[in-house]
């Protein structure tokens, strides 16, 4: 149940597969004899703050569902790596608590809520908690059709159906972790309300009518660096810059919202061209390897968000699992940049468009033999 919640995409999961496949269609045309020695300098700036890595853990809801230490474990691992930390407004750890685990740069993610007083309250908490930037998620005005969750009867927390109890018996470590910990809440909104009671409240607060004028009001209330998260079109990117967003966050919500939305790596170069070299761009979606991060940086991203890789680490090993997941990607990125012939992130971004070439796709590019076992019809079998 929890595995499918984390692993799944919307509808037939076409966008989910395309988001992964898109990286395999990009070849890295490397320079040899570049005279580089490891470790390379992977440092950069995100939201104007120095970080040691050009990638970071995306804001993701309900981290305590995967491990009892939840967001605290992720924040501590990000702190140890010296990179940005992102907190979801549907987190299970309070906004002002995060500063106890991560003292570096942080971004707070906000959904399009109806209640402006609630928004003001949450923004005040984010400022108090030392968050340096805001990310408005604009692609969540409707809840995506995640059919694996429907088939599994997924609820937060579990509704203890016969099927879920059988799954719990089959996963004793997760079950012990869940039952031995305090019930989790959506602590960024109302920390005294259990997650199951809050679900209807969250649904009632999502505002499909949220528009550019509402975004202008939000930016005025925040008064600091802000990203528009969910950009996949050139015209929306230009409008976001005109509205006052400092950062474009190219994202399709992990392919969990609109089915057949484009792979983010495919639209990234056009958005970079549209906004020019001085507007910060963050990209997430389909990232599974350090080579994926390298390609995104080369094609126009200033930073890359990761989701599933660190959440798998969290579920498997808490803080150490997250740290290990980030470390694997760090080593892979260092290796990819070295073999490509670029010694710094700045050099990779400047020379990147000449180093990454697209070729026609092949059925051999992403051999997903386990797709049917996971309950969807994709992959090559």
């Amino acid at each position: 149940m929890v595995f499918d919640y984390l692993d799944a995409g919307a509808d037939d999961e076409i966008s989910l597969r395309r988001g992964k496949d898109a990286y395999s269609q990009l070849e890295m045309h490397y320079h040899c004899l570049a005279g580089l020695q490891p470790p390379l300098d992977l440092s950069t700036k995100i939201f104007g703050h120095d970080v040691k890595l050009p990638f970071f853990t995306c804001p993701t809801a309900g981290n305590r569902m995967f491990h009892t230490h939840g967001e605290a474990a992720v924040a501590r691992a990000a702190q140890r790596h010296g990179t940005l930390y992102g907190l979801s407004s549907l987190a299970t750890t309070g906004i002002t608590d995060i500063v106890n685990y991560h003292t570096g740069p942080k971004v707070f993610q906000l959904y399009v809520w109806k209640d402006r007083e609630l928004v003001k309250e949450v923004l005040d908490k984010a400022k108090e908690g030392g968050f340096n930037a805001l990310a408005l998620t604009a692609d969540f005005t409707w809840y995506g059709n995640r059919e694996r969750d429907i088939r599994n009867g997924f609820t937060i927390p579990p509704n203890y159906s016969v099927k879920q109890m059988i799954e719990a018996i089959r996963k004793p470590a997760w079950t012990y972790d869940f039952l031995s910990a305090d019930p989790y809440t959506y602590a960024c909104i109302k920390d005294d309300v259990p997650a199951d009671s809050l679900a209807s409240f969250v649904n009632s607060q999502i505002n499909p009518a949220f528009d550019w004028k509402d975004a202008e009001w939000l930016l005025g209330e925040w008064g600091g660096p802000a990203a528009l998260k969910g950009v996949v079109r050139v015209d929306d990117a230009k409008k976001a810059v005109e509205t006052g967003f400092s950062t474009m966050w190219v994202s399709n919500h992990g392919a969990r919202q609109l089915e057949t939305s484009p792979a983010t790596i495919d639209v990234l170069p056009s958005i970079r061209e549209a906004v020019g070299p001085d507007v910060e761009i963050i990209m997430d979606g389909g990232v599974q390897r350090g080579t994926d991060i390298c390609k995104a940086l080369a094609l126009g991203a200033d930073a890359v968000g990761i989701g599933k890789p660190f959440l798998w680490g969290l579920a498997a090993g808490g803080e150490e699992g997250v740290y290990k997941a980030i470390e694997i990607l760090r080593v892979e990125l260092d290796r990819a940049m070295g073999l490509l012939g670029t010694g710094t992130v700045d050099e990779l971004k400047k020379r990147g468009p000449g180093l990454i070439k697209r070729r026609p796709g092949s059925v051999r590019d992403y051999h997903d033999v386990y797709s049917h076992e996971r309950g969807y019809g994709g992959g090559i079998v």
Side-chain angles (χ1 to χ4, degrees):
M1 179 188 70
V2 173
F3 173 88
D4 277 341
Y5 170 78
L6 174 52
D7 191 58
D11 293 2
D12 297 311
E13 303 189 347
I14 296 169
S15 290
L16 184 67
R17 297 191 298 277
R18 286 179 180 172
K20 300 172 182 177
D21 293 347
Y23 292 95
S24 68
Q25 297 169 15
L26 297 172
E27 295 179 335
M28 307 178 80
H29 290 236
Y30 58 91
H31 282 285
C32 59
L33 300 179
L36 301 174
Q37 290 186 340
L40 302 181
D41 180 9
L42 303 183
S43 64
T44 189
K45 289 182 180 290
I46 309 179
F47 292 114
H49 292 268
D50 293 325
V51 290
K52 293 181 180 179
L53 296 175
F55 64 93
F56 64 96
T57 56
C58 278
T60 53
N63 286 185
R64 286 189 59 204
M65 183 189 346
F66 309 113
H67 190 279
T68 188
H69 294 159
E71 290 84 4
V74 180
R76 285 192 293 258
Q79 171 87 10
R80 289 165 62 187
H81 274 289
T83 193
L84 180 80
Y85 172 72
L87 182 71
S88 168
S89 54
L90 293 181
T92 46
T93 301
I95 298 172
T96 54
D97 294 329
I98 292 297
V99 72
N100 298 321
Y101 313 115
H102 193 289
T103 58
K106 298 178 284 293
V107 58
F108 180 71
Q109 175 273 329
L110 183 70
Y111 291 105
V112 287
W113 302 125
K114 292 178 181 177
D115 187 343
R116 288 194 170 186
E117 292 305 313
L118 171 65
V119 171
K120 289 180 180 180
E121 179 183 339
V122 170
L123 293 182
D124 287 341
K125 287 182 179 180
K127 294 173 183 177
E128 180 185 348
F131 282 80
N132 315 98
L134 178 72
L136 173 65
T137 293
D139 57 5
F140 197 76
T141 50
W142 269 264
Y143 194 85
N145 180 33
R146 303 165 193 178
E147 293 186 347
R148 284 203 243 176
D149 290 348
I150 296 171
R151 183 170 62 248
N152 291 333
F154 176 81
T155 59
I156 301 176
N159 62 16
Y160 306 109
S161 65
V162 172
K163 181 176 181 179
Q164 289 184 1
M165 286 189 285
I166 292 173
E167 288 298 315
I169 293 171
R170 293 175 59 190
K171 303 293 188 299
W174 181 90
T175 302
Y176 175 80
D177 182 71
F178 175 77
L179 294 176
S180 62
D182 294 333
Y184 52 79
T185 64
Y186 290 139
C188 293
I189 303 174
K190 289 189 175 182
D191 58 10
D192 60 340
V193 181
D196 54 347
S197 301
L198 195 58
S200 59
F201 167 79
V202 171
N203 288 333
S204 70
Q205 277 298 319
I206 291 293
N207 183 15
F210 196 101
D211 61 15
W212 292 104
K213 290 184 179 179
D214 294 309
E216 287 182 10
W217 171 84
L218 178 65
L219 292 175
E221 291 295 319
W222 174 248
L228 183 62
K229 185 175 183 289
V231 176
V232 297
R233 292 178 57 93
V234 164
D235 51 358
D236 281 345
K238 291 180 178 179
K239 181 69 172 179
V241 173
E242 294 170 0
T243 303
F245 286 96
S246 60
T247 301
M248 302 301 103
W249 195 320
V250 180
S251 174
N252 65 5
H253 214 93
R256 296 162 70 83
Q257 286 295 102
L258 179 61
E259 178 64 302
T260 68
S261 58
T264 52
I265 191 69
D266 285 344
V267 300
L268 173 62
S270 63
I271 292 176
R272 169 53 74 196
E273 182 179 3
V275 301
D278 298 327
V279 175
E280 182 176 54
I281 295 180
I282 293 170
M283 193 215 76
D284 68 39
V287 176
Q288 299 181 102
R289 287 282 191 177
T291 50
D292 299 339
I293 297 171
C294 186
K295 291 172 182 178
L297 295 171
L299 292 178
D302 294 294
V304 177
I306 61 170
K308 290 180 182 178
F310 87 82
L311 290 173
W312 294 130
L314 175 64
E319 177 184 343
E320 292 305 318
V322 178
Y323 183 88
K324 180 66 174 178
I326 298 174
E327 177 65 9
I328 289 171
L329 293 174
R330 184 198 68 79
V331 171
E332 290 183 351
L333 175 60
D334 183 272
R335 180 187 302 115
M337 287 175 55
L339 291 172
L340 195 59
T342 53
T344 66
V345 173
D346 283 343
E347 184 183 3
L348 175 60
K349 291 193 292 185
K350 289 176 182 177
R351 296 172 51 203
L355 299 173
I356 308 300
K357 307 291 183 182
R358 181 176 298 279
R359 74 177 184 85
S362 166
V363 295
R364 297 170 297 176
D365 286 340
Y366 192 76
H367 190 69
D368 191 357
V369 296
Y370 300 107
S371 59
H372 288 279
E373 292 181 15
R374 296 206 301 269
Y376 70 93
I380 307 301
V381 295

